[in-house]
Amino acid sequence: MAGNSFGNLFRITTFGESHGPAIGVIVDGSPAGLPVDVAFIQAELDKRKPGQSKITTQRKESDKVQILSGMFENKTTGTPIAMLIPNEDQRSKDYSHNQDIFRPSHADYTYQTKYGVRDHRGGGRSSARETAARVAAGAIAKLLLKQTGIEVLAHVSSVGRIDAPNVDYHDAEAFTALREANIIRCADPATAEEMIACIDGIRKQGDTIGGKVSCYITGCPVGLGEPVFDKLHAELGKAMLSINAVHGFEYGSGFSGSRMRGSEHNDIFVRGADGAIQTRTNYSGGIQGGISNGMPIEFTVAFKPVATIMANQQTIDAEGEAAEIQGKGRHDPCVVPRAVPIVEAMAALVIADYWLLNKTVKL
Amino acid sequence: MAGNSFGNLFRITTFGESHGPAIGVIVDGSPAGLPVDVAFIQAELDKRKPGQSKITTQRKESDKVQILSGMFENKTTGTPIAMLIPNEDQRSKDYSHNQDIFRPSHADYTYQTKYGVRDHRGGGRSSARETAARVAAGAIAKLLLKQTGIEVLAHVSSVGRIDAPNVDYHDAEAFTALREANIIRCADPATAEEMIACIDGIRKQGDTIGGKVSCYITGCPVGLGEPVFDKLHAELGKAMLSINAVHGFEYGSGFSGSRMRGSEHNDIFVRGADGAIQTRTNYSGGIQGGISNGMPIEFTVAFKPVATIMANQQTIDAEGEAAEIQGKGRHDPCVVPRAVPIVEAMAALVIADYWLLNKTVKL
Amino acid sequence: MAGNSFGNLFRITTFGESHGPAIGVIVDGSPAGLPVDVAFIQAELDKRKPGQSKITTQRKESDKVQILSGMFENKTTGTPIAMLIPNEDQRSKDYSHNQDIFRPSHADYTYQTKYGVRDHRGGGRSSARETAARVAAGAIAKLLLKQTGIEVLAHVSSVGRIDAPNVDYHDAEAFTALREANIIRCADPATAEEMIACIDGIRKQGDTIGGKVSCYITGCPVGLGEPVFDKLHAELGKAMLSINAVHGFEYGSGFSGSRMRGSEHNDIFVRGADGAIQTRTNYSGGIQGGISNGMPIEFTVAFKPVATIMANQQTIDAEGEAAEIQGKGRHDPCVVPRAVPIVEAMAALVIADYWLLNKTVKL
Amino acid sequence: MAGNSFGNLFRITTFGESHGPAIGVIVDGSPAGLPVDVAFIQAELDKRKPGQSKITTQRKESDKVQILSGMFENKTTGTPIAMLIPNEDQRSKDYSHNQDIFRPSHADYTYQTKYGVRDHRGGGRSSARETAARVAAGAIAKLLLKQTGIEVLAHVSSVGRIDAPNVDYHDAEAFTALREANIIRCADPATAEEMIACIDGIRKQGDTIGGKVSCYITGCPVGLGEPVFDKLHAELGKAMLSINAVHGFEYGSGFSGSRMRGSEHNDIFVRGADGAIQTRTNYSGGIQGGISNGMPIEFTVAFKPVATIMANQQTIDAEGEAAEIQGKGRHDPCVVPRAVPIVEAMAALVIADYWLLNKTVKL
């Protein structure tokens, strides 16, 4: 099935395997007349690229983006924007040992069974490398949203059992500065130190650890989201769950909301200082009935630990015989620092799409 | 936007407000030749209908389904199946007091702002009544899945802080019998008693409480799910998050997986007694790389407490002036017992759709 | 496949067989706040309904439309509008002789082979009765377009070898009055007489005849149509070709344009009396590069002769044995008078959809 | 709007302007395991490329295709296939004179008005160069169809007023050999000579001429096509009408069918020599009720004359002032010889898509 597209009016289609010549994306439906700063797209990609720090994979990819279409004199023309990111450090031989064996908790077995064939070099299409294309596309969406005053901000809110306290995200620049000041991308400096130490220890043991990314969207007008199946949080949830290694999504009060009473959980409407309608609490996470209510949108995404570890593991081979596998590739001990720009990109794509959709709902 | 449809090849479109003449659904794309037992569809609807027990709303609706098309001699013909459910107990006057006021944590304010108009009688399109149409459509999907040996089973796994222990769902009939033996729809009888007592107490206080529904899909072949954006769990997540009052979705290890190490979390492949490939643990929740791996699919859905309570609440009116609102309608103290068939229906719709999609992926 | 929907943002889904209890349609994506006059919808349906005159089928259907949702105080609310048209004069026994035999140039054989089953009563889903649902939906689209000054006007331009001269369509009311003054729905009275006499003669012979409908869309702004695959005329063409019995579509110069030279065919841009940019000729049919250019949109649709005739015909039966079939149902000698409102409806649906799409193409 | 995609399960998305660095396409949804011969794709592109003969534009483009993804060991893997075709002979300066002027019967004016901006170098996205991407994608579709015995064959059936007689297309190789033996791509050698002389004369006058391409699809199984809106001929019609310069589409009896009687037009079912059900005549063009009936599919596409001519023409400029324009680019005197592979490609894409869709319609 043609499943490599996402979005309705602002729609992306990605392609490319981790060990082919390139990956890329077509952004279709971006409005014409949007100024695009290629340096901004590149900066977003740089936040996702491998080899950034001691707590990310040492695979080297410069992830330099090329724009092939859809732009004229640095503005979008309304035609599809194609972006290409060549693969550089492929080292396919690193993966030859994976040809006939299924790595535990990877997509090897399911791809092989589904398609009857698989590009066994580094995960092929199931590689997290695919997400670079999403980040490039998400950068265009972010530029569109900035024009309307919407900011999409994420940071690492948990690593293993280490949880960050609530952080203030209302000043986008300050939030981003705090977050980018450390290699884990947590906007709380003290927790960041703790998280980094944790990951570094786990890395030295050849193991991996899960974590969470929290995302905040400010400046969102009332009215985004389509009722019933295309509720705003349903589309955000799908967007997040489509990111590699994500096992959970919650917004507003989330799972803890299921333990609360209605009398505690209801968000009371009040007039703000500026006269705007707002709610006293935000258990609704900025969304009521699937539609944004003008409060900040808040959600959290749970990532499982990376499946590639350095220890020997039991498994089976392509013939179904018992086998043993050793981790050899260059992988991340924890996915969350590099996941931050991916979460932001996917969120920006959803909001841009629904912002466009919302232009057509009333006379 | 045309947002009232769900699915790709097996696709539903719903319509209807809670206080209009009827709600309904068109199921388009069901394969021809499927025997359809209307009594089965009705039985599914009966599990969702109001007025079932002391812990559900006392609104009375018989929810009798009429099939208008797509069937010939009790089999599907491949043409769209339209189903109609007339509304009976509308009592619109109960809602006249809501015309000019926004109920806290309801969709009144967001609908009014988005569309500039709203059918204020009982929530209009945002009413949970809309989910009856999903249950009717999901029943067709279930009948299709049964033909292939797939079972979709859900039960209430939490009410407030009361969590059910893990239950055995491998025998679908036994599981269902246990679950249907109590009014809360929890397959663990002892926990069920505790949950019912909890809800009944909260009901008497005029308050409401959240909860969780867990769902298990057995007999699912390897290969369902489209990589990248349309991962099986991403579509399941969207389906669940589109249900009224849902605030969270997790599959497999879910949020607790974010606290684990890779060495613990990896699901080791082994040969089962029958020679089939399976995994020792199922932290992957039956899905790897977005594709089903043949193990049971497991996920959990978190529901917030119902927003309508009996206490007086502060709010604002349509002019933005401070106002007070009293709960007067007939509502559920806890949504989860009636949510069980809705979760099953949405899951069945996703699996039926992806089962069809999977017929076209290889030569 | 879920193939019973049409449109992107303004999207319809139809259901129903000719001999079931009802047919109907869901209109999803109509903007909120549109005043809807049910009498107008009914008047459109009345132009399509059977039994209007001596040159249409004598099947009796009052085609009374019921609106089930999506409306509040006579305005659209932005939620799906469901409309139901009960079937009345079904006389299924008339068709029992068709159960095991394939009628020439009907869809019996292809449906039976594709689906393995078919509702043999009167064509089931392939019956032209399905188009009543389109006309009801198209009426909503027309009401939307009228708000923006767009008129969609069609008439019968040929019956067999009788061609109408060019007619003036700039005054919508005058055009419609002329057209509705005769039972063939041709806006040229003299030709109309000739056409009626022709059809009446053919009817008496138990035969049928083909014809053409031409359509004109005035008041369309510059900019409707999406380049490349979703060109405005490509979508109009699909819409028309999806109508029963249509065998051809041309716009602007159409097939005769293929015989012309560029120096003749180019439409020279000039300033009109009111200063607006227009073209001296309109070989482009109001569309350049797939996008409306502000000139009237002009296209013509060719209908084959109705396949049901009164003469005996050779055919084969369900076992593939030679058989003979006699026409017995009540059918039209020529489809075009009743096709006029269908062509208009489908055109209005396309224009309404593309008018909404065009709201999102530039900043 | 995201309008640069075509197809449902077998879906393409194209990008690129005529004067940017490259054009290209992503083919998503091709089944895994399909052997792909890159030389075949290139050969298809060579039939479309400019500079082939004296009767095509002298613009030089080698149109060398690069495959970036979706292939492993020369077979498709089920993941998206990205193909890139670099632009070479761009000569943008040739077009600088077009910046502030609207060429008659081009898309300059409509693009400028729709988007507020346009890449004025050679038509940007509205250039026929975009069709190279379609031909590359169509080649993959053709390879898929060949596996199932389906052949898609087109040739030039008219140039101006010169019409080819009916040709025999049942032997695909013989048909193709005859067609490729002349530069106009007409499978009737005598008519080909006449057509070439006609075009050459018109070219010397600096003028252009329209023409028609007819297409035949053999080996198509019964059952392709979705009833109602997605009839097989409706989708073929949209596909053809989306090709630059197309003004008309007809299938089977087409426009001439509108002049016939039912008693002449009905296709009588008979048993063929091999026992298969066929029809004596094929006025239905291989499609009944929107579904293929096993007979050859036959349709014809009308192309207007190319708008770029060598004579001076009146027009207006971007300020709406009267202006004069001279044709200076390198363009085709008649589009049909290069349109043949484009028509075949679009037809193959439709048939491949509907062949996949048809796998899911019955149990």
Side-chain angles (χ1 to χ4, degrees):
Chain A
M1 186 227 168
N4 294 277
S5 297
F6 185 80
N8 297 280
L9 292 180
F10 194 104
R11 185 173 174 89
I12 68 169
T13 303
T14 69
F15 68 88
E17 283 84 29
S18 58
H19 290 72
I23 62 168
V25 61
I26 300 176
V27 178
D28 198 6
S30 177
L34 176 70
V36 172
D37 177 3
V38 182
F40 176 75
I41 304 175
Q42 190 61 53
E44 291 293 294
L45 283 166
D46 291 348
K47 289 180 194 151
R48 196 217 67 96
K49 78 174 177 191
Q52 295 177 43
S53 75
K54 65 178 178 180
I55 59 168
T56 63
T57 171
Q58 296 309 304
R59 183 172 167 164
K60 293 287 177 200
E61 292 284 358
S62 64
D63 281 358
K64 288 295 171 210
V65 67
Q66 301 166 16
I67 298 186
L68 299 180
S69 65
M71 223 73 97
F72 189 61
E73 296 171 350
N74 299 314
K75 286 197 176 177
T76 58
T77 59
T79 65
I81 305 164
M83 293 186 281
L84 202 71
I85 304 168
N87 289 327
E88 294 165 350
D89 180 17
Q90 305 167 13
R91 297 207 203 163
S92 297
K93 65 177 161 24
D94 277 15
Y95 293 93
S96 59
H97 62 295
N98 285 338
Q99 182 163 8
D100 300 317
I101 204 161
F102 299 133
R103 291 170 297 168
S105 289
H106 273 87
D108 300 343
Y109 169 60
T110 51
Y111 266 68
Q112 183 70 44
T113 308
K114 183 178 184 75
Y115 295 111
V117 59
R118 113 190 115 98
D119 184 342
H120 55 74
R121 298 166 303 167
R125 185 73 180 144
S126 74
S127 163
R129 182 144 187 74
E130 181 270 337
T131 57
R134 305 184 186 205
V135 170
I140 308 277
K142 278 187 177 181
L143 290 170
L144 174 60
L145 296 181
K146 274 177 202 295
Q147 296 262 342
T148 74
I150 303 174
E151 291 282 351
V152 179
L153 299 162
H155 84 135
V156 171
S157 51
S158 298
V159 167
R161 296 182 175 278
I162 305 166
D163 297 325
N166 286 341
V167 292
D168 184 2
Y169 52 77
H170 292 90
D171 179 338
E173 248 178 86
F175 175 90
T176 309
L178 276 173
R179 181 190 77 187
E180 292 300 315
N182 61 71
I183 59 176
I184 185 69
R185 288 204 171 85
C186 171
D188 185 72
T191 315
E193 287 309 300
E194 217 182 323
M195 288 169 167
I196 294 165
C198 166
I199 294 176
D200 205 36
I202 278 162
R203 181 182 64 81
K204 285 172 182 156
Q205 297 165 36
D207 211 344
T208 62
I209 185 86
K212 293 191 274 192
V213 172
S214 293
C215 186
Y216 316 100
I217 305 170
T218 61
C220 200
V222 187
L224 304 196
E226 304 302 317
V228 187
F229 300 109
D230 295 335
K231 291 183 166 85
L232 184 55
H233 56 267
E235 191 76 353
L236 284 167
K238 178 169 178 180
M240 296 306 137
L241 289 156
S242 79
I243 300 172
N244 306 47
V246 172
H247 268 228
F249 170 86
E250 59 180 6
Y251 81 102
S253 62
F255 273 83
S256 70
S258 74
R259 300 187 177 278
M260 291 170 73
R261 290 175 170 233
S263 53
E264 299 170 81
H265 192 275
N266 281 357
D267 292 321
I268 300 303
F269 285 111
V270 291
R271 282 274 190 182
D274 59 349
I277 291 174
Q278 46 187 242
T279 59
R280 237 179 245 159
T281 48
N282 190 14
Y283 291 118
S284 300
I287 302 173
Q288 288 174 330
I291 300 171
S292 61
N293 69 352
M295 294 293 290
I297 294 170
E298 300 186 344
F299 62 84
T300 294
V301 187
F303 291 81
K304 69 163 189 170
V306 171
T308 304
I309 56 175
M310 291 302 111
N312 293 356
Q313 293 177 91
Q314 292 285 305
T315 189
I316 54 167
D317 64 20
E319 273 76 43
E321 299 301 315
E324 198 180 68
I325 196 163
Q326 279 187 301
K328 285 194 184 158
R330 295 152 295 165
H331 295 273
D332 293 89
C334 182
V335 83
V336 288
R338 293 176 59 207
V340 165
I342 307 168
V343 165
E344 286 188 356
M346 292 305 297
L349 289 166
V350 170
I351 302 296
D353 189 34
Y354 276 56
W355 184 80
L356 289 176
L357 286 171
N358 198 44
K359 285 172 168 283
T360 66
V361 298
K362 60 182 166 190
L363 279 185
Chain B
M1 185 226 171
N4 295 278
S5 297
F6 185 80
N8 297 278
L9 293 180
F10 193 103
R11 184 171 175 90
I12 69 168
T13 304
T14 68
F15 68 88
E17 283 83 29
S18 57
H19 290 72
I23 62 167
V25 61
I26 300 177
V27 179
D28 198 6
S30 177
L34 176 69
V36 171
D37 177 3
V38 180
F40 176 76
I41 303 175
Q42 190 59 55
E44 291 294 292
L45 282 165
D46 290 348
K47 289 180 193 151
R48 195 216 69 95
K49 78 174 176 190
Q52 295 177 43
S53 74
K54 64 178 177 180
I55 58 168
T56 62
T57 171
Q58 297 308 306
R59 182 172 167 165
K60 292 287 176 200
E61 291 284 358
S62 63
D63 281 0
K64 288 296 169 209
V65 68
Q66 301 166 14
I67 298 186
L68 299 181
S69 65
M71 222 72 97
F72 190 60
E73 296 171 351
N74 300 314
K75 286 195 176 180
T76 58
T77 59
T79 63
I81 304 164
M83 293 186 281
L84 202 70
I85 302 168
N87 290 327
E88 294 165 351
D89 181 18
Q90 305 167 14
R91 295 207 202 165
S92 297
K93 64 176 161 28
D94 276 15
Y95 294 93
S96 59
H97 62 297
N98 286 337
Q99 183 161 7
D100 299 317
I101 205 162
F102 299 134
R103 292 171 295 168
S105 288
H106 274 87
D108 301 341
Y109 170 60
T110 52
Y111 265 67
Q112 183 69 45
T113 309
K114 184 179 183 76
Y115 296 111
V117 59
R118 111 190 115 100
D119 185 342
H120 55 75
R121 297 167 303 167
R125 186 74 180 144
S126 73
S127 163
R129 181 142 187 76
E130 181 271 337
T131 57
R134 305 184 186 205
V135 170
I140 308 276
K142 278 188 176 180
L143 289 171
L144 174 59
L145 296 180
K146 275 177 202 293
Q147 295 262 342
T148 75
I150 302 174
E151 291 282 353
V152 178
L153 300 162
H155 83 137
V156 171
S157 52
S158 298
V159 167
R161 295 182 176 278
I162 305 166
D163 297 324
N166 286 340
V167 292
D168 185 2
Y169 51 76
H170 292 89
D171 179 337
E173 248 178 88
F175 174 90
T176 310
L178 275 173
R179 181 191 76 188
E180 293 299 316
N182 60 71
I183 58 176
I184 184 69
R185 288 206 170 85
C186 170
D188 184 72
T191 314
E193 288 308 301
E194 215 181 324
M195 289 169 167
I196 294 165
C198 167
I199 294 176
D200 205 36
I202 279 163
R203 181 181 64 81
K204 286 171 184 160
Q205 296 165 36
D207 210 344
T208 61
I209 185 86
K212 293 191 274 191
V213 172
S214 292
C215 186
Y216 316 100
I217 304 169
T218 61
C220 198
V222 188
L224 305 197
E226 303 303 316
V228 187
F229 300 109
D230 294 335
K231 291 183 166 84
L232 184 54
H233 56 266
E235 191 76 353
L236 284 168
K238 177 169 178 179
M240 296 306 137
L241 289 156
S242 79
I243 300 171
N244 305 44
V246 172
H247 268 227
F249 170 86
E250 61 180 4
Y251 80 102
S253 63
F255 273 82
S256 70
S258 75
R259 300 186 176 279
M260 291 170 73
R261 289 174 169 234
S263 53
E264 299 170 80
H265 191 276
N266 281 356
D267 292 320
I268 300 304
F269 285 111
V270 292
R271 282 274 191 183
D274 59 349
I277 291 175
Q278 47 187 240
T279 60
R280 238 179 246 160
T281 48
N282 190 16
Y283 291 118
S284 300
I287 303 173
Q288 288 174 331
I291 299 169
S292 63
N293 69 353
M295 295 292 290
I297 294 170
E298 301 186 342
F299 62 84
T300 293
V301 186
F303 292 81
K304 69 162 188 171
V306 171
T308 303
I309 57 174
M310 292 300 113
N312 292 357
Q313 292 177 92
Q314 292 284 304
T315 188
I316 54 167
D317 63 20
E319 274 73 44
E321 299 302 315
E324 198 181 67
I325 197 162
Q326 279 186 299
K328 287 193 183 157
R330 294 152 294 163
H331 295 275
D332 293 271
C334 182
V335 84
V336 289
R338 293 176 57 206
V340 165
I342 307 168
V343 165
E344 285 187 357
M346 291 305 297
L349 288 166
V350 170
I351 302 295
D353 189 35
Y354 277 58
W355 183 80
L356 289 176
L357 286 170
N358 198 43
K359 285 174 167 284
T360 66
V361 297
K362 61 182 166 189
L363 279 185
Chain C
M1 187 225 169
N4 295 278
S5 297
F6 185 79
N8 297 279
L9 293 180
F10 194 104
R11 185 172 175 89
I12 69 169
T13 303
T14 68
F15 68 87
E17 283 83 30
S18 58
H19 290 71
I23 62 168
V25 61
I26 300 175
V27 179
D28 199 6
S30 177
L34 176 70
V36 172
D37 176 3
V38 181
F40 176 76
I41 304 176
Q42 190 60 54
E44 291 293 294
L45 281 166
D46 290 348
K47 290 180 192 151
R48 195 217 70 94
K49 77 174 178 190
Q52 296 176 42
S53 74
K54 65 179 177 179
I55 60 168
T56 62
T57 171
Q58 296 309 305
R59 182 172 167 165
K60 293 287 178 201
E61 291 284 357
S62 63
D63 281 359
K64 289 295 171 210
V65 67
Q66 301 166 14
I67 298 186
L68 299 181
S69 64
M71 223 72 96
F72 189 61
E73 296 170 351
N74 299 315
K75 286 196 175 179
T76 58
T77 58
T79 64
I81 304 163
M83 293 187 280
L84 202 71
I85 303 168
N87 289 326
E88 295 165 350
D89 181 16
Q90 305 168 13
R91 295 206 204 168
S92 297
K93 65 177 160 27
D94 275 16
Y95 294 92
S96 60
H97 62 294
N98 286 337
Q99 182 163 7
D100 300 317
I101 205 162
F102 298 134
R103 292 171 296 167
S105 288
H106 274 87
D108 300 341
Y109 169 60
T110 52
Y111 265 68
Q112 183 70 45
T113 308
K114 182 179 185 76
Y115 295 110
V117 59
R118 113 190 113 98
D119 185 342
H120 55 74
R121 298 165 303 166
R125 185 75 180 143
S126 74
S127 162
R129 181 143 186 75
E130 181 270 335
T131 57
R134 305 184 187 206
V135 170
I140 308 277
K142 279 186 175 181
L143 290 171
L144 174 60
L145 296 181
K146 274 177 202 295
Q147 296 261 342
T148 74
I150 303 174
E151 291 281 352
V152 178
L153 300 162
H155 83 136
V156 171
S157 51
S158 298
V159 168
R161 295 181 176 280
I162 306 166
D163 297 323
N166 287 341
V167 292
D168 184 1
Y169 52 76
H170 291 89
D171 180 337
E173 248 177 87
F175 175 91
T176 309
L178 275 174
R179 181 191 78 188
E180 292 300 315
N182 61 71
I183 59 177
I184 184 68
R185 288 206 169 84
C186 171
D188 184 73
T191 315
E193 288 308 300
E194 216 183 322
M195 288 169 166
I196 293 166
C198 166
I199 294 176
D200 204 36
I202 279 163
R203 181 181 63 82
K204 286 171 182 158
Q205 297 165 36
D207 210 346
T208 62
I209 185 86
K212 293 192 275 194
V213 172
S214 292
C215 186
Y216 315 100
I217 304 169
T218 61
C220 199
V222 187
L224 305 197
E226 303 303 315
V228 186
F229 300 109
D230 295 335
K231 291 182 166 84
L232 184 54
H233 57 267
E235 191 75 354
L236 284 168
K238 178 169 178 178
M240 296 306 138
L241 289 156
S242 78
I243 300 172
N244 305 45
V246 172
H247 268 227
F249 171 86
E250 60 181 6
Y251 80 102
S253 62
F255 273 84
S256 71
S258 74
R259 300 186 177 278
M260 291 170 73
R261 288 173 172 235
S263 54
E264 299 170 80
H265 191 275
N266 281 356
D267 291 322
I268 299 305
F269 285 110
V270 291
R271 282 274 191 183
D274 59 350
I277 291 175
Q278 46 187 241
T279 60
R280 237 180 247 158
T281 49
N282 190 15
Y283 291 118
S284 299
I287 303 172
Q288 288 175 328
I291 299 169
S292 62
N293 70 352
M295 295 291 290
I297 294 170
E298 302 186 341
F299 62 84
T300 294
V301 186
F303 291 81
K304 68 163 190 171
V306 171
T308 303
I309 56 175
M310 291 301 112
N312 292 356
Q313 292 177 91
Q314 293 284 305
T315 188
I316 54 166
D317 64 19
E319 273 74 45
E321 300 301 315
E324 199 179 67
I325 196 163
Q326 279 186 300
K328 286 192 184 159
R330 295 152 294 165
H331 295 274
D332 293 270
C334 182
V335 85
V336 289
R338 294 176 58 207
V340 165
I342 307 169
V343 165
E344 286 188 356
M346 291 306 297
L349 288 166
V350 170
I351 301 296
D353 189 35
Y354 277 56
W355 183 81
L356 288 177
L357 285 171
N358 198 44
K359 286 174 167 283
T360 66
V361 298
K362 60 183 166 190
L363 278 185
Chain D
M1 186 224 168
N4 295 277
S5 297
F6 186 80
N8 297 279
L9 292 179
F10 193 103
R11 184 172 175 89
I12 69 169
T13 303
T14 70
F15 68 87
E17 283 82 29
S18 58
H19 290 71
I23 61 167
V25 61
I26 299 177
V27 179
D28 198 6
S30 177
L34 176 70
V36 172
D37 177 3
V38 181
F40 176 76
I41 304 174
Q42 191 60 54
E44 290 293 293
L45 282 166
D46 290 349
K47 288 179 193 150
R48 196 217 67 95
K49 78 175 176 190
Q52 294 177 44
S53 74
K54 64 178 178 181
I55 59 167
T56 63
T57 172
Q58 297 308 304
R59 182 173 167 164
K60 292 287 178 200
E61 290 285 356
S62 63
D63 280 358
K64 288 296 172 208
V65 67
Q66 300 166 16
I67 297 186
L68 298 180
S69 65
M71 223 71 98
F72 189 61
E73 296 171 352
N74 300 315
K75 287 196 175 177
T76 58
T77 59
T79 64
I81 304 165
M83 293 187 281
L84 202 71
I85 303 168
N87 291 326
E88 294 165 350
D89 181 16
Q90 306 167 12
R91 296 206 202 168
S92 298
K93 64 177 161 25
D94 277 16
Y95 294 93
S96 58
H97 62 295
N98 286 338
Q99 183 163 5
D100 300 318
I101 205 162
F102 299 134
R103 293 170 296 167
S105 289
H106 273 87
D108 300 342
Y109 169 60
T110 51
Y111 266 67
Q112 183 70 44
T113 308
K114 183 179 184 75
Y115 296 111
V117 59
R118 112 190 115 99
D119 185 343
H120 56 73
R121 298 165 303 166
R125 185 75 180 142
S126 73
S127 163
R129 180 142 188 74
E130 181 270 336
T131 58
R134 305 184 187 205
V135 170
I140 308 276
K142 279 187 175 180
L143 289 170
L144 174 59
L145 296 181
K146 275 178 200 295
Q147 296 261 341
T148 74
I150 302 174
E151 291 281 352
V152 179
L153 300 162
H155 84 136
V156 171
S157 52
S158 298
V159 167
R161 296 181 175 278
I162 305 167
D163 296 324
N166 287 341
V167 293
D168 184 1
Y169 52 76
H170 291 91
D171 179 337
E173 247 178 88
F175 174 91
T176 310
L178 275 172
R179 181 190 77 187
E180 293 298 316
N182 61 70
I183 58 176
I184 185 67
R185 288 205 170 85
C186 172
D188 184 72
T191 314
E193 288 308 300
E194 216 183 323
M195 289 169 166
I196 294 166
C198 166
I199 294 176
D200 205 36
I202 278 164
R203 180 181 64 82
K204 285 171 183 160
Q205 296 164 35
D207 210 344
T208 61
I209 185 85
K212 293 192 272 193
V213 172
S214 293
C215 185
Y216 315 100
I217 304 169
T218 62
C220 199
V222 187
L224 304 197
E226 304 302 316
V228 187
F229 300 109
D230 294 336
K231 291 184 166 83
L232 185 55
H233 57 268
E235 191 76 354
L236 284 168
K238 178 170 179 179
M240 296 306 138
L241 289 156
S242 79
I243 299 173
N244 306 44
V246 172
H247 267 228
F249 171 85
E250 59 180 5
Y251 81 102
S253 62
F255 273 84
S256 70
S258 75
R259 301 186 177 278
M260 291 171 72
R261 288 173 171 236
S263 53
E264 299 170 81
H265 191 276
N266 280 357
D267 292 320
I268 300 303
F269 285 110
V270 292
R271 281 274 192 182
D274 59 350
I277 291 174
Q278 46 188 242
T279 59
R280 237 180 245 158
T281 48
N282 190 15
Y283 291 116
S284 300
I287 302 173
Q288 288 173 330
I291 300 170
S292 62
N293 69 352
M295 294 293 290
I297 294 169
E298 301 186 344
F299 61 84
T300 294
V301 186
F303 291 82
K304 69 163 188 169
V306 170
T308 304
I309 56 175
M310 292 301 111
N312 293 356
Q313 292 178 90
Q314 292 285 303
T315 188
I316 54 166
D317 64 20
E319 273 75 44
E321 299 300 316
E324 198 180 68
I325 196 163
Q326 278 187 302
K328 284 192 184 160
R330 295 151 294 165
H331 294 274
D332 293 271
C334 182
V335 85
V336 289
R338 293 176 58 206
V340 166
I342 306 169
V343 165
E344 286 188 357
M346 290 307 295
L349 288 166
V350 170
I351 302 296
D353 189 34
Y354 277 57
W355 184 80
L356 289 176
L357 285 172
N358 197 44
K359 285 174 168 284
T360 66
V361 298
K362 61 183 164 190
L363 279 186

